[in-house]
């Protein structure tokens, strides 16, 4: 109770301090405005009364909602690593807003919250379908949420690129901005937040019963399914209303409930109250930091960015605290019962050849035609084909190495944040230094990827690189980097659209020299991977086995991880982020029976090259005369495959 009272007392103190940032009004003058509600029409008073004060109230409302929703989700699922962000609900709500803005701009004034609610519900339904209602306490739900986030993010980027007239507002939504020009948004939001009072008043006892287990709670008369449905729908409605007004503000719903439990909240009702207070406090502090940075940089710093700066380290610390080396991931690689033969490798090569010929000969002028490209089409077409083949092969082999090192078939450069590191380095260099993405070399991408790799190695050494903490740390870093990228995109300059096109993973702007560099670099790195197949084989059998066979485990682990990161960084620096290829191709190779490292590398390279080339070709065909980038199409196809893979693992586990 004492800690709860301290939080209640600290909240107004923090609010008062926040209102003093970059304000020329004294506390007495601010108090007179609040009490008398009279302004002398000076700029300082008008700005304080109609911008700063409603911004503070908005931060309190949104922060309280996020903390409360996060506590509800974690108590319903008994999973401390879940939130609207990790469940995919935030990305679903954002996608719903984007679709409404593109399809029915006139309806935005009345139906934004319904669009966001529909998107959030679809995302949640997908996650529940993939992992199952009974598996919400494990890591599978986090992986399912990550898949939904990547899939919805790819669709969102494609829609923005095809409708860039709406892009500025969409970027603001994605970054999370609390700026206010009056009280209209506050007046709209606060009635939706009243639903939180109902949760605070009536949800404590049912959630206390649920802590005893679903069977015990049902035996005492609690309708668990109805409780889950009602609380989730109410929480998603509040989330949708908040995102509609300020955009995505991540990490709060994840961090606030965990902090509440750390300071002693044991009963369900107490956790709800303290999480609500902590959510409000954290968002006010993050917004105050954003306001302070605005005064230093003279740039608009979105609150979502400062929230990520505060929340990501707390999340990584919670992962380190709660997970240990004994935390295992229940997914296993599923091999075909039939053994791998050279015939399968030959057939895969022939399928790849057919896909390449299809991409080379297809023309869509006056309908679908097949002919050899003329002298105008050839210089444009062959760099695309070479780049997509090399990128697909490189990402596939990168995934093979990563999965065998981490001892998890769902590990990939996307999952561990390595791709996001390259993205951050390139986007930050372009956004802040003004260099165009096309002029940046692989060195910048390497620096970003290796920075993330260094962080993972430092953090991973504390739990001896156990799979679960490594993956969750990578997910946290990826979410943090995504927020940084959204902050750069808020600038809305012409460079932003270059960045956005690059983020889609496009091949149509690849130059001939870039295509050859990519092909040569990927080929050399794959040959090095094949030469180290013994290391990788022994490392995938376990560190003890590798050490007994004379392998320097630490050196081998780091060198192989660097090799995987190099492949990912090289591809990302030229094409942009390519999601899911590094998961899909190794799994297809495993399903074809490729058990040995060398055969899995070769077959995965062929399958990855064919998969990305097919995605590039389909991207040119499905919405002709417009195009979808190869990375976007690969993310859509690969995301569906990944979800089916998670369903398969659920059914056999």
């Amino acid at each position: 109770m004492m800690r709860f009272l301290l939080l209640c007392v600290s909240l107004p103190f923090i609010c008062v301090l926040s209102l003093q940032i970059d304000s020329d009004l004294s506390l007495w003058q601010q108090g007179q405005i609040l009490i008398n509600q009279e302004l002398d029409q000076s700029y300082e008073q008008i700005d304080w009364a109609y911008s700063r004060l409603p911004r503070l109230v908005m931060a309190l409302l949104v922060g309280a909602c996020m903390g409360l929703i996060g506590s509800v989700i974690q108590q319903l699922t008994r999973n401390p690593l879940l939130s609207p962000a990790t469940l995919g609900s935030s990305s679903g709500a954002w996608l719903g807003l984007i679709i409404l803005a593109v399809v029915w701009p006139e309806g935005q004034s009345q139906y934004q919250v319904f669009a966001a609610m529909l998107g959030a519900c679809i995302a949640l339904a997908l996650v529940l379908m993939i992992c199952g209602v009974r598996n919400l306490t494990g890591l599978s739900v986090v992986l399912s949420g990550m898949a939904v986030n990547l899939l919805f993010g790819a669709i969102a980027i494609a829609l923005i690129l095809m409708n860039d007239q709406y892009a500025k507002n969409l970027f603001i939504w994605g970054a999370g901005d609390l700026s206010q020009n009056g009280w209209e948004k506050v007046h709209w939001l606060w009635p939706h937040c009243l639903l939180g009072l109902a949760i605070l008043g009536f949800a404590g006892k049912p959630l206390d019963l649920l802590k005893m287990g679903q069977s015990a709670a049902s035996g005492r008369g609690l309708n668990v399914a109805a409780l889950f449905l009602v609380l989730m729908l109410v929480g998603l409605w509040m989330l949708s209303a908040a995102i509609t007004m300020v955009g995505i503000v991540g990490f709060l719903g994840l961090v606030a409930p965990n902090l509440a439990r750390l300071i002693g909240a044991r009963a369900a009702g107490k956790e709800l109250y303290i999480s609500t207070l902590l959510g409000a406090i954290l968002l006010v502090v993050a917004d105050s930091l954003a306001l302070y940075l605005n005064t230093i940089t003279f740039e608009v710093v979105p609150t979502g960015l400062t929230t990520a700066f505060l929340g990501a380290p707390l999340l990584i610390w919670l992962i380190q605290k709660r997970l240990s080396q004994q935390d295992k991931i229940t997914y296993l690689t599923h091999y075909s019962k039939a053994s791998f033969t050279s015939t399968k490798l030959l057939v895969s090569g022939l399928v790849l050849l057919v896909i390449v010929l299809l991409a080379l000969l297809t023309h869509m002028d006056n309908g679908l035609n097949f002919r050899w490209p003329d002298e105008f089409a050839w210089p444009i077409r062959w760099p695309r084909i070479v780049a997509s083949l090399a990128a697909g092969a490189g990402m596939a082999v990168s995934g093979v190495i990563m999965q065998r090192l981490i001892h998890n078939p769902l590990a990939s450069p996307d999952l561990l944040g390595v791709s996001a590191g390259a993205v951050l380095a390139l986007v930050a260099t372009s956004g802040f230094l003004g260099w165009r993405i096309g002029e940046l070399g692989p060195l910048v991408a390497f620096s970003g990827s290796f920075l993330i790799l260094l962080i993972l190695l430092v953090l991973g050494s504390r739990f001896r690189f156990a799979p679960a903490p490594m993956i969750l740390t990578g997910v946290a870093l990826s979410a943090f980097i995504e927020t940084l990228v959204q902050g750069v995109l808020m600038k809305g300059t012409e460079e932003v659209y270059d960045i956005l096109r690059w983020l889609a993973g496009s091949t149509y702007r690849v130059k001939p020299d870039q295509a050859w560099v990519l092909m040569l670099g990927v080929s050399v790195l794959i040959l090095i991977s094949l030469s180290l197949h013994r290391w990788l084989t022994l490392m995938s059998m376990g560190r003890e086995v590798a050490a007994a066979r004379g392998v320097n485990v630490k050196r081998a682990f780091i060198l192989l991880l660097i090799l995987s990161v190099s492949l990912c960084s090289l591809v990302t620096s030229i094409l942009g982020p390519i999601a899911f290829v590094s998961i899909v191709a190794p799994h297809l190779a495993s399903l074809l029976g490729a058990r040995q490292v060398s055969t899995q590398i070769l077959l995965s390279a062929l399958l990855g090259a064919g998969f990305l080339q097919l995605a590039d070709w389909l991207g040119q065909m499905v919405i002709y005369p417009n195009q979808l980038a190869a990375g976007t199409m690969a993310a859509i196809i690969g995301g569906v495959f990944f979800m089916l893979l998670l369903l398969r693992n659920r059914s056999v586990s």
Side-chain angles (χ1 to χ4, degrees):
M1 180 60 70
M2 180 60 66
R3 293 173 180 174
F4 179 73
L5 291 176
L6 286 175
L7 288 175
C8 293
V9 172
S10 64
L11 181 58
F13 178 73
I14 293 172
C15 291
V16 170
L17 289 180
S18 175
L19 289 173
Q20 307 313 307
I21 297 176
D22 195 30
S23 175
D24 295 329
L25 299 179
S26 64
L27 281 175
W28 172 259
Q29 291 173 311
Q30 294 175 4
Q32 289 299 308
I33 295 174
L34 285 175
I35 296 172
N36 301 324
Q37 297 184 356
E38 294 181 0
L39 304 177
D40 61 7
Q41 302 304 312
S42 66
Y43 171 79
E44 290 78 10
Q45 291 197 8
I46 293 175
D47 176 68
W48 189 87
Y50 292 99
S51 178
R52 293 295 305 281
L53 190 58
R55 178 169 180 151
L56 173 63
V57 175
M58 183 64 75
L60 291 170
L61 290 174
V62 173
C65 285
M66 291 297 181
L68 178 60
I69 296 167
S71 179
V72 167
I73 290 175
Q74 291 181 18
Q75 292 195 60
L76 284 175
T77 61
R78 289 178 292 167
N79 189 336
L81 296 175
L82 286 189
S83 72
T86 52
L87 273 176
S89 300
S90 294
S91 60
W94 187 46
L95 180 59
L97 290 170
I98 291 174
I99 293 175
L100 178 65
V102 171
V103 175
W104 191 20
E106 298 82 5
Q108 292 187 84
S109 59
Q110 296 181 350
Y111 300 104
Q112 280 185 328
V113 67
F114 293 101
M117 176 71 174
L118 181 60
C121 288
I122 291 174
L124 177 62
L126 281 174
V127 171
L128 294 178
M129 180 186 70
I130 294 168
C131 66
V133 178
R134 298 184 182 275
N135 294 324
L136 293 176
T137 57
L139 186 62
S140 61
V141 65
V142 179
L143 295 173
S144 304
M146 183 214 67
V148 170
N149 280 328
L150 287 174
L151 177 61
F152 283 14
I155 297 172
I157 288 178
L159 289 173
I160 292 175
L161 283 174
M162 291 187 292
N163 302 272
D164 56 5
Q165 66 270 29
Y166 306 110
K168 178 64 176 178
N169 289 334
L170 300 179
F171 294 150
I172 294 174
W173 268 330
D177 184 48
L178 294 181
S179 299
Q180 303 295 309
N181 294 316
W183 289 91
E184 292 80 7
K185 291 183 178 181
V186 173
H187 290 321
W188 184 92
L189 181 61
W190 75 262
H192 297 80
C193 298
L194 292 178
L195 293 171
L197 297 178
I199 295 177
L200 291 172
F202 301 104
K205 290 183 178 179
L207 289 174
D208 273 326
L209 286 176
L210 193 60
K211 288 184 177 181
M212 302 167 59
Q214 293 186 10
S215 300
S218 299
R220 286 167 172 75
L222 179 65
N223 190 329
V224 177
L227 177 69
F228 184 91
L229 181 64
V230 170
L231 289 183
M232 275 292 187
L233 288 178
V234 171
L236 290 181
W237 179 264
M238 295 168 61
L239 170 72
S240 303
I243 289 178
T244 300
M245 289 295 99
V246 302
I248 297 176
V249 180
F251 292 106
L252 284 179
L254 186 60
V255 172
N258 281 283
L259 288 180
R261 288 188 288 273
L262 283 176
I263 64 175
R266 297 292 180 264
K270 182 178 291 187
E271 181 183 326
L272 291 174
Y273 279 102
I274 295 180
S275 298
T276 303
L277 270 175
L278 282 172
I281 290 172
L282 288 173
L283 190 53
V284 171
V285 171
D287 192 47
S288 300
L289 179 59
L291 287 168
Y292 179 71
L293 292 176
N294 289 344
T295 63
I296 297 175
T297 62
F298 302 102
E299 294 277 351
V300 176
V301 178
T303 307
L305 186 62
T306 53
T307 305
F309 269 114
L310 296 176
L314 284 172
L315 173 58
I316 293 173
W317 177 73
L318 289 169
I319 291 170
Q320 302 270 319
K321 183 179 178 65
R322 291 183 175 274
L323 295 177
S324 65
Q325 188 182 3
Q326 285 69 40
D327 288 299
K328 303 296 182 184
I329 301 173
T330 58
Y331 295 101
L332 301 173
T333 302
H334 297 286
Y335 294 99
S336 171
K337 293 182 179 179
S339 61
F340 178 78
T341 62
S342 58
T343 304
K344 294 181 180 180
L345 192 64
L346 178 61
V347 171
S348 300
L350 291 175
V351 171
L352 175 60
L353 180 60
V354 170
I355 294 173
V356 171
L357 290 175
L358 192 64
L360 189 63
L361 301 177
T362 302
H363 292 263
M364 288 294 289
D365 49 338
N366 300 320
L368 185 63
N369 298 305
F370 296 94
R371 67 174 184 272
W372 191 260
D374 55 28
E375 64 273 14
F376 298 104
W378 174 253
I380 299 174
R381 190 155 298 185
W382 76 259
R384 283 187 80 157
I385 295 175
V386 170
S388 59
L389 292 174
M395 292 301 296
V397 175
S398 177
V400 172
I401 298 172
M402 191 77 72
Q403 289 171 15
R404 286 185 173 264
L405 282 181
I406 304 298
H407 301 103
N408 183 271
L410 300 182
S412 74
D414 317 295
L415 202 63
L416 291 181
V418 174
S419 296
V423 170
L424 175 63
L426 289 163
V427 169
T429 306
S430 175
F432 295 109
L433 299 182
W435 298 352
R436 299 184 73 87
I437 286 286
E439 299 171 354
L440 303 175
L443 183 61
V444 177
F446 285 157
S447 64
S449 292
F450 280 106
L451 175 62
I452 297 300
L453 175 61
L454 180 62
I455 294 173
L456 285 172
L457 290 175
V458 171
L459 296 175
S461 63
R462 298 188 58 186
F463 41 77
R464 298 185 62 188
F465 308 106
M470 284 283 285
I471 288 177
L472 287 172
T473 302
V475 170
L477 291 173
S478 296
F480 172 60
I481 290 171
E482 182 181 354
T483 305
L484 296 180
V485 171
Q486 290 289 347
V488 175
L489 294 178
M490 264 192 67
K491 295 173 65 176
T493 59
E494 183 59 33
E495 290 80 9
V496 163
Y497 296 97
D498 287 338
I499 294 172
L500 204 60
R501 295 184 191 100
W502 175 80
L503 285 174
S506 176
T507 60
Y508 62 80
R509 305 183 77 181
V510 175
K511 300 175 182 177
D513 57 336
Q514 292 177 321
W516 286 123
V517 167
L518 183 60
M519 176 62 76
L520 180 62
V522 167
S523 300
V524 170
L525 291 172
I526 290 178
L527 288 175
I528 295 174
S529 304
L530 287 170
S531 69
L532 298 176
H533 69 91
R534 179 178 178 273
W535 276 9
L536 193 55
T537 300
L538 293 174
M539 291 293 293
S540 62
M541 295 171 64
R543 288 178 171 81
E544 293 79 8
V545 174
R549 298 294 181 88
V551 176
N552 186 324
V553 173
K554 185 176 181 180
R555 184 178 66 179
F557 181 87
I558 293 175
L559 288 178
L560 288 169
L561 203 56
I562 288 175
L563 185 59
S564 175
V565 170
S566 299
L567 281 164
C568 173
S569 302
L570 180 60
V571 172
T572 305
S573 65
I574 295 177
L575 262 67
I578 305 293
F580 289 114
V581 177
S582 53
I583 296 178
V584 171
H587 266 281
L588 289 177
S590 300
L591 291 174
L592 290 174
R595 295 177 175 86
Q596 295 182 355
V597 169
S598 56
T599 54
Q600 190 183 16
I601 287 176
L602 289 173
L603 187 56
S604 296
L606 286 175
L607 293 173
F611 176 70
L612 190 58
Q613 179 58 72
L614 180 63
D616 191 28
W617 179 75
L618 288 174
Q620 300 174 52
M621 299 292 111
V622 291
I623 57 171
Y624 183 84
N626 294 319
Q627 294 187 23
L628 287 175
T632 300
M633 202 68 199
I636 294 172
I637 300 172
V640 174
F641 178 88
F642 185 68
M643 293 176 185
L644 294 175
L645 179 67
L646 291 170
L647 280 170
R648 175 188 172 91
N649 277 285
R650 192 189 81 182
S651 64
V652 299
S653 59

